Amino acid sequence: MEKEFLWGAASSANQMEGAYNVDGKGLSIADLALFYEYKDRLKLKKELSLDDIEKLKDTDGNFPKRRGNDFYHRWEEDLELLHQLGIKAYRFSIAWSRIFPNGDDVNANEAGLSFYENIINRCIEYKIEPIITLSHFETPLVISEKYGGWNNRSVIKLFLRYACVVFQRFKGKVKYWIAFNEINAALEIPYKGSAIPFANNAHYAQAVHDGLHNQVLASALVAKKLHEIDSNAKIGCMIASFLTYPLTCAPPDVWKALNENRSYYLYADMLVKGFLPAWYRMDLARQGIEITLSEQDLTIIKNNTVDYISFSYYMSLTASSSQNQNKGNGNLKGGVINPFLEKTDWGWSIDPTGLRIALNDMYDRYNLPIMISENGFGSIDVLEHDGTVIDNDRIKYLKEHVKALKAAVEEDGVNCFCYLVWSPIDMVSSGTSEMRKRYGFIYVDADDYGNGTYDRFKKKSFYWYRKVIDSNGEDLS
Ligand code: BG6
């Protein structure tokens, strides 16, 4: 691997910080995510309507993302631990609602800006490259309530204002930016991805596509602004990899898989190539959905594409043309069960070769530098009496994925410059808001209900990853 390769880790504000109403922060859509046990996941209501929002806002339910892992109060200790881990890059998000509590306030909240400034400064002191996501499933709630979410075009201006404030403030300090985490969540889970309240009416589908198109336009406008404000900084797009295999070589299965794959590449097509593919336009027309972007908008999108691509990779999916196959679980969406792959406790398939395929596919298709912005293993970890966690399964998962990454880079010539493990420290799960679904190298003593000391403990994988980083990926033992 290149000497400058960025070995790192990634997190998000809404899963880490807690302190949801401290120092002027406003509510975000994530602050309304109720805890559900995994076994009850089918009851999990992901798409909140305006009525749901109204009810949830003032209840005292179990909202784990309001607590996070208490990073807001422990950030110094946590960054010291990341320094000891030896990471070269740390991806985190800024909570828009810490900077503009309602999204549309006149003035930025200085307490929010200085919180992130301290983190960035400390990263630089520790020679950790900060990588910042502007929006990671944590849009200010008012954007949802008052504006109806991203399908309202005026949200673009508000987002741009927020982006410009942080670009100006952190100019020269932050080289890598991402506008939206997993922008493909916009169509899969519109409330979380685009802050659009669910509505059981004929306009909802149109609103969801408008929301995505506005986010694509906002990404292009943000890229333009960043390049004007800080010509050394780079902006990437970020998509969740839904790499999909056909269950069999029967042509209808292959056709099904092809369609699944291009419907996830769609987002990179728009942000890297700068156009809406023909099949997608035809598909929208068949559904009676209009593309409300003007010719001028499309030119902006075309002229302001991203500098690099990033994607999260946890698993591959499998598609079948038959309705009668058993369905599997997955990140944002599931497929049918792949009989060749083992699964995590949450039913996500484990497929390191899929990472090599995804990297090659992505590089062949777009020929841009690639950042793996998330890859990790969610499991139930047990804190031993001596304060350690023996997380051999996590080490095994990461080891095999790092091997696949190295093969893609060293044998296939893929230009991947950064690998970020989800996550450095245990935090609240995005999907189910569980605390017991842990990804970190560092254990946090907290349960699903907020009980515990929130103290930090290094897991066995902490020492393993430190060795990988120290040896620049040579020592995976
Ligand atoms: C990604 C998200 O989709 O998956 C992260 O960007 C999330 O925020 C990660 O934590 C893992 O998902 P989960 O639901 O297991 O936390």
Side-chain angles (χ1 to χ4, degrees):
M1 306 296 277
E2 296 278 339
K3 227 173 67 224
E4 303 71 34
F5 188 83
L6 295 174
W7 299 98
S11 68
S12 76
N14 74 86
Q15 294 166 263
M16 282 277 274
E17 290 175 4
Y20 77 104
N21 57 0
V22 171
D23 291 341
K25 182 184 171 297
L27 280 180
S28 88
I29 56 167
D31 295 322
L32 298 196
L34 277 169
F35 164 75
Y36 275 88
E37 297 235 9
Y38 172 63
K39 64 178 169 49
D40 294 333
R41 68 195 177 284
L42 297 178
K43 291 189 226 148
L44 194 128
K45 195 166 186 189
K46 290 182 176 161
E47 300 310 307
L48 301 186
S49 66
L50 279 176
D51 281 351
D52 295 326
I53 292 174
E54 205 41 49
K55 271 185 227 139
L56 286 172
K57 232 171 45 170
D58 298 318
T59 51
D60 293 326
N62 183 6
F63 297 100
K65 286 173 186 148
R66 296 185 183 185
R67 300 187 291 269
N69 66 12
D70 201 29
F71 177 74
Y72 191 79
H73 298 114
R74 295 172 184 249
W75 68 270
E76 292 196 82
E77 175 194 354
D78 286 348
L79 290 187
E80 162 64 26
L81 285 166
L82 298 195
H83 177 48
Q84 290 175 24
L85 179 59
I87 54 171
K88 312 269 187 225
Y90 175 36
R91 169 180 172 236
F92 57 95
S93 68
I94 292 180
W96 180 359
S97 59
R98 252 187 223 294
I99 310 300
F100 288 99
N102 300 296
D104 62 355
D105 315 70
V106 177
N107 297 315
N109 175 28
E110 180 52 37
L113 285 166
S114 44
F115 171 63
Y116 294 109
E117 187 160 56
N118 288 336
I119 293 172
I120 292 167
N121 287 345
R122 191 64 57 87
C123 283
I124 293 170
E125 207 179 292
Y126 288 151
K127 299 201 173 13
I128 297 174
E129 185 83 55
I131 299 171
I132 297 187
T133 314
L134 291 171
S135 181
H136 192 128
F137 304 156
E138 56 216 355
T139 307
L141 189 63
V142 171
I143 298 289
S144 207
E145 292 180 294
K146 180 164 147 194
Y147 295 86
W150 268 99
N151 60 317
N152 185 330
R153 225 182 132 97
S154 46
V155 175
I156 299 178
K157 243 196 214 143
L158 300 173
F159 186 67
L160 206 57
R161 192 157 58 114
Y162 150 61
C164 287
V165 165
V166 296
F167 290 163
Q168 291 285 3
R169 180 77 169 230
F170 305 133
K171 177 179 169 173
K173 293 183 175 176
V174 178
K175 184 167 170 198
Y176 297 103
W177 295 86
I178 290 168
F180 296 100
N181 181 65
E182 295 180 339
I183 192 165
N184 37 345
L187 298 187
E188 295 298 328
I189 37 173
Y191 172 70
K192 198 165 167 177
S194 307
I196 300 175
F198 176 72
N200 195 5
N201 63 37
H203 309 293
Y204 182 62
Q206 176 73 51
V208 168
H209 282 272
D210 284 348
L212 167 66
H213 297 158
N214 287 339
Q215 284 174 288
V216 170
L217 179 57
S219 304
L221 288 165
V222 159
K224 186 166 184 285
K225 276 287 173 211
L226 177 67
H227 292 140
E228 284 164 12
I229 293 173
D230 188 348
S231 56
N232 289 322
K234 299 193 181 305
I235 191 144
C237 61
M238 160 34 171
I239 53 178
S241 169
F242 294 150
L243 174 73
T244 305
Y245 306 138
L247 183 63
T248 72
C249 54
D253 281 0
V254 177
W255 176 240
K256 174 91 177 160
L258 181 145
N259 279 300
E260 294 290 334
N261 280 319
R262 73 175 172 190
S263 65
Y264 103 81
Y265 285 129
L266 162 69
Y267 306 84
D269 286 348
M270 294 192 275
L271 295 162
V272 178
K273 295 182 173 172
F275 71 86
L276 276 56
W279 69 265
Y280 174 58
R281 286 174 175 274
M282 293 171 98
D283 194 39
L284 291 183
R286 276 193 294 273
Q287 294 178 58
I289 293 170
E290 236 184 290
I291 297 169
T292 48
L293 293 170
S294 66
E295 277 312 311
Q296 201 191 351
D297 296 336
L298 292 166
T299 308
I300 294 172
I301 292 169
K302 179 92 202 153
N303 291 342
N304 294 284
T305 53
V306 291
D307 304 309
Y308 65 92
I309 299 185
S310 78
F311 66 91
S312 58
Y313 178 87
Y314 290 88
M315 55 181 291
S316 59
L317 297 165
T318 307
S320 162
S321 54
S322 142
Q323 296 300 318
N324 303 325
Q325 301 293 339
N326 290 330
K327 296 271 184 308
N329 293 325
N331 186 18
L332 304 182
K333 71 178 205 173
V336 302
I337 290 178
N338 182 332
F340 296 98
L341 299 176
E342 286 180 16
K343 314 223 166 3
T344 69
D345 292 339
W346 273 260
W348 296 16
S349 62
I350 301 175
D351 181 14
T353 306
L355 177 60
R356 184 174 183 178
I357 297 170
L359 281 164
N360 274 273
D361 250 13
M362 206 74 91
Y363 195 54
D364 287 353
R365 197 171 168 114
Y366 303 113
N367 207 8
L368 273 188
I370 300 179
M371 165 193 291
I372 299 170
S373 43
E374 291 178 28
N375 174 232
F377 182 78
S379 66
I380 295 169
D381 293 344
V382 181
L383 184 65
E384 308 286 335
H385 292 303
D386 60 355
T388 53
V389 174
I390 311 296
D391 54 343
N392 290 331
D393 288 346
R394 175 167 300 104
I395 294 174
K396 185 171 165 214
Y397 176 98
L398 293 175
K399 189 186 289 184
E400 293 309 313
H401 284 77
V402 170
K403 278 189 200 161
L405 154 69
K406 287 184 67 184
V409 172
E410 294 171 354
E411 294 172 40
D412 312 331
V414 172
N415 179 5
C416 175
F417 66 99
C418 177
Y419 173 72
L420 303 171
V421 173
W422 190 271
S423 57
I425 306 175
D426 292 343
M427 66 188 74
V428 177
S429 147
S430 177
T432 56
S433 296
E434 290 164 294
M435 189 66 205
R436 73 172 127 169
K437 187 179 190 188
R438 297 170 183 274
Y439 285 87
F441 294 115
I442 296 157
Y443 183 92
V444 175
D445 173 31
D447 71 9
D448 290 334
Y449 301 91
N451 303 309
T453 60
Y454 284 77
D455 287 348
R456 280 45 176 158
F457 299 88
K458 292 171 191 164
K459 302 181 192 174
K460 187 175 169 188
S461 59
F462 180 98
Y463 301 99
W464 174 81
Y465 195 43
R466 189 164 75 183
K467 205 165 47 179
V468 173
I469 300 171
D470 278 355
S471 65
N472 196 22
E474 286 305 305
D475 187 353
L476 304 184
S477 61

